[in-house]
């Protein structure tokens, strides 16, 4: 039995394993997926998790629930040595160990691109995983509670200030959804006014949403500004120490929430810890059929797809063009990858990956969106409906589709859920501070219990 090892359980890795499970014959090959998380994150839903429009768990697809015949290993691949056909795995517990393979699939995905800006490492949240989206939402809700108890002043103003760095799709969608949530929250806090909210979007380039045209991008900026936001174009973040934001334009302000969404970088294991061929961006060199290598020098039995692979884009008919790193490509590359691996196992020819874009669609907050397909541009509520419709169809498995639709239907009747669960990030705090007194001390509960016992005895 041949060993197929998949590094990464994201879009491309999940769909590769899922496709292989459905088509592999008994005893033909064994599939193993290595990933530190037990689920695939459906990242297009993260902005709606931020806004509370989707339950956090519904944006995650359990690997064990849907990959029934795949061996799943919880760990991080730290090194790939194709010359020895081995990868090094670092589990959450225990020592590193090696796995061997006959066929390797690298779908490790990209990581958040960070810059050495003072304060970012200590203050900022990313927006790439479910945990980060939940933390951003809880931070905003907690800030509202704290601000409502404070008088007007610098501390209250800081709590009600939100800053996003990065004007790509994830940044703009997260920014728009959080702005929508904050605007709706003001109505539930009579102590606060809408004019106290300060939302800043910082983008180093002269435009946001590079995937859409110039005019639609300008429309998005105008729409956000009409809703009270500030969009800083051609501006860089210089410092964010202790929440004090300094911009390259010279402007300075305090922020209570800082979100970093300024692009992706290649996965460190692909960029620095492999003997496979990579390009100048640190991405794996991949042929059109998703085999690692070049047309003249393919690497036998090694495949790659997704954000850490430089896949030729045959749909644009432009020499040197590569597919953009988004979910639309990663899902379809995973499906093609499974078919090509099966073809090689059975002595058939592989097929090149070709996908013509279906257009781009983005949510800008509840009831607001934008869609573009070539010259066709749709704005506002219809585009928002298209966004929800497309992604509920695209999220894998009917089980997840039904759960998401149920939450949306409930929100129509009762609105968003605005409960903050920030305390779950320190689940033992109440137990330690109240129920477990230091030696020589008595807890309040223990003292009360003793008094009650004396009264009963009397």
């Amino acid at each position: 039995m041949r060993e197929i090892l998949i590094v990464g359980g994201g879009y491309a890795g999940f769909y590769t394993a899922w496709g292989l499970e459905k088509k592999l014959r008994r005893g033909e090959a064994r599939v193993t997926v290595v990933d530190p998380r037990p689920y695939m994150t459906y990242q297009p839903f993260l902005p709606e998790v931020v806004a509370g429009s989707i339950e956090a768990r519904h944006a995650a697809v359990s690997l064990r629930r849907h990959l029934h015949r795949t061996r799943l290993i919880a760990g991080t691949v730290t090194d790939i040595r194709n010359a020895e056909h081995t990868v090094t795995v670092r589990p959450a517990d225990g020592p590193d160990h090696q796995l061997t393979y006959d066929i390797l699939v690298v779908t490790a995905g990209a990581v958040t691109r960070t810059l050495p800006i003072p304060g970012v490492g200590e203050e900022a949240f990313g927006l790439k995983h479910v945990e980060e989206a939940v933390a951003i939402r809880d931070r905003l809700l907690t800030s509202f509670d704290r601000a409502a108890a404070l008088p007007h002043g610098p501390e209250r103003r800081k709590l009600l200030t939100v800053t996003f760095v990065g004007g790509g799709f994830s940044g703009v969608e997260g920014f728009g959804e959080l702005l929508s949530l904050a605007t709706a929250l003001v109505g539930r806090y009579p102590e606060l006014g809408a004019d106290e909210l300060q939302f800043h979007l910082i983008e180093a380039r002269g435009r946001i949403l590079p995937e859409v045209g110039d005019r639609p991008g300008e429309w998005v900026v105008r729409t956000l500004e009409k809703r009270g936001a500030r969009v800083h174009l051609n501006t860089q973040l210089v410092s964010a120490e202790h929440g004090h934001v300094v911009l390259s334009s010279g402007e300075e302000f305090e922020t209570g929430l800082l979100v970093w969404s300024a692009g992706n970088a290649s996965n460190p294991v692909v960029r620095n810890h492999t003997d496979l061929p990579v390009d100048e961006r640190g991405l794996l060199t991949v042929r059109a059929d998703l085999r690692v290598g070049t047309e003249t020098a393919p690497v036998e039995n090694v495949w790659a797809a997704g954000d850490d692979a430089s896949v030729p884009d045959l749909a644009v008919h432009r020499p040197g063009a590569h597919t953009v790193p988004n979910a639309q490509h990663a899902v379809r590359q995973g499906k093609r990858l499974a078919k090509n691996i099966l073809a090689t196992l059975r002595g058939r020819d592989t097929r090149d990956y070709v996908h013509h874009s279906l257009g781009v669609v983005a949510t800008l907050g509840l009831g607001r969106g934008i869609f573009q397909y070539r010259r066709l541009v749709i704005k506002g509520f219809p585009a928002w409906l298209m966004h929800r419709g497309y992604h509920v169809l695209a999220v894998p498995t009917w089980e997840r589709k039904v759960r998401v639709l149920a939450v949306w239907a409930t929100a129509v009747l009762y609105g968003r859920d605005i409960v903050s669960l920030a305390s779950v990030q320190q689940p033992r705090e109440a137990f330690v501070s109240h129920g477990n007194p230091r030696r020589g001390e008595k807890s309040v509960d223990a003292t009360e219990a003793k008094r009650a016992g004396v009264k009963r005895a009397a």
Side-chain angles (χ1 to χ4, degrees):
M1 185 181 293
R2 307 197 74 182
E3 292 284 346
I4 302 175
L5 178 61
I6 301 176
V7 178
Y11 295 118
F14 174 81
Y15 276 95
T16 300
W18 209 21
L20 288 171
E21 271 202 2
K22 294 175 182 178
K23 299 294 183 181
L24 279 172
R25 301 171 185 141
R26 185 176 299 276
E28 190 172 17
R30 182 171 70 165
V31 181
T32 300
V33 173
V34 181
D35 195 281
R37 288 179 169 81
Y39 55 81
M40 182 205 83
T41 302
Y42 190 73
Q43 291 181 347
F45 277 159
L46 292 186
E48 296 210 47
V49 173
V50 166
S53 299
I54 288 180
E55 166 64 35
R57 289 173 298 174
H58 299 167
V61 179
S62 170
L63 299 180
R64 291 192 180 275
R65 184 183 181 98
H66 301 291
L67 299 179
H68 306 294
R69 295 190 293 116
T70 297
R71 182 172 62 149
L72 300 172
I73 296 178
T76 302
V77 172
T78 59
D79 191 69
I80 300 173
R81 293 296 123 188
N82 188 56
E84 291 82 31
H85 280 213
T86 62
V87 301
T88 302
V89 178
R90 178 167 297 162
D93 300 296
D96 293 3
H97 62 275
Q98 289 188 332
L99 295 176
T100 60
Y101 60 83
D102 298 302
I103 298 172
L104 177 66
V105 179
V106 184
T107 54
V111 297
T112 301
R113 178 173 63 90
T114 57
L115 299 174
I117 298 174
V120 169
E122 295 76 22
E123 301 289 337
F125 291 90
L127 188 50
K128 205 169 186 63
H129 302 289
V130 173
E131 303 92 331
E132 295 170 324
V134 172
I136 291 168
R137 176 175 177 269
D138 286 344
R139 171 66 73 87
L140 180 74
L141 295 172
T142 303
S143 294
F144 266 72
D145 289 332
R146 293 172 58 193
L150 292 174
H152 290 278
E155 186 60 29
R156 174 161 158 165
R157 191 179 311 114
K158 179 178 180 178
L159 287 170
L160 297 176
T161 300
V162 175
T163 304
F164 271 65
V165 182
F169 253 78
S170 62
V172 171
E173 288 190 314
F175 184 79
E177 286 286 352
L178 201 63
L179 176 59
S180 179
L181 172 61
T183 304
L185 278 176
V186 170
R188 298 181 181 268
Y189 288 83
E191 307 90 342
L192 305 177
D195 58 334
E196 295 184 80
L197 294 177
Q198 297 291 324
F199 270 69
H200 298 267
L201 177 61
I202 302 167
E203 171 53 49
R205 293 167 294 187
R207 53 164 301 172
I208 62 175
L209 293 179
E211 293 87 350
V212 304
D214 290 339
R215 294 182 65 182
E218 292 168 0
W219 177 84
V220 172
V221 171
R222 292 195 302 270
T223 299
L224 293 174
E225 291 179 339
K226 285 179 181 178
R227 293 162 60 189
R230 287 278 308 280
V231 180
H232 305 263
L233 299 178
N234 296 310
T235 305
Q236 296 178 342
L237 178 66
V238 175
S239 175
E241 290 185 292
H242 308 295
H244 181 74
V245 173
V246 180
L247 303 181
S248 59
S249 62
E251 187 173 351
E252 300 183 23
F253 55 87
E254 301 289 327
T255 189
L257 175 58
L258 177 64
V259 181
W260 181 271
S261 57
N264 296 326
S266 60
N267 195 294
V269 70
V270 172
R271 185 174 64 246
N272 300 320
H273 303 289
T274 180
D275 57 356
L276 296 171
V278 297
D279 64 12
E280 66 281 357
R281 297 174 296 168
L283 303 178
L284 287 168
T285 303
V286 177
R287 305 188 335 165
D289 64 354
L290 303 179
R291 196 192 308 266
V292 171
T294 63
E295 293 299 326
T296 57
V299 180
E300 193 68 23
N301 292 323
V302 181
W303 310 78
D307 293 355
D308 60 8
S310 183
V311 180
D313 192 347
L314 303 184
V316 300
H317 305 293
R318 187 175 70 247
H322 295 88
T323 59
V324 296
N326 61 22
Q328 191 176 138
H329 282 296
V331 168
R332 288 165 177 81
Q333 287 171 8
K335 293 178 179 179
R336 170 48 51 197
L337 195 48
K339 293 175 182 177
N340 280 354
I341 292 173
L342 287 166
T344 59
L345 286 174
R346 297 167 185 174
R348 299 198 301 263
D349 293 335
T350 61
R351 293 178 58 183
D352 291 344
Y353 171 75
V354 183
H355 172 63
H356 297 273
S357 175
L358 303 175
V360 291
V361 61
T363 175
L364 304 174
L366 191 63
R368 301 176 177 90
I370 186 166
F371 168 82
Q372 181 175 5
Y373 176 69
R374 297 182 181 177
R375 294 185 180 180
L376 174 64
V377 178
I378 300 175
K379 306 171 185 175
F381 186 73
W384 176 77
L385 285 178
M386 295 172 68
H387 175 273
R388 284 202 162 184
Y390 171 77
H391 285 299
V392 79
L393 290 174
V395 68
T397 79
W398 278 103
E399 172 257 343
R400 274 296 178 262
K401 299 180 198 294
V402 172
R403 289 183 187 274
V404 170
L405 285 171
V407 172
W408 283 342
T410 304
V412 171
L413 297 175
Y414 301 107
R416 307 173 195 259
D417 192 337
I418 59 170
V419 175
S420 170
L421 294 178
S423 58
V424 302
Q425 297 167 36
Q426 296 88 29
R428 298 185 65 253
E429 184 175 354
F431 171 76
V432 171
S433 60
H434 298 296
N436 191 21
R438 297 175 183 172
R439 182 179 297 179
E441 296 180 354
K442 292 183 178 180
S443 69
V444 175
D445 292 341
T447 303
E448 292 298 326
K450 185 175 181 180
R451 288 176 181 172
V454 170
K455 289 181 180 179
R456 284 195 297 272

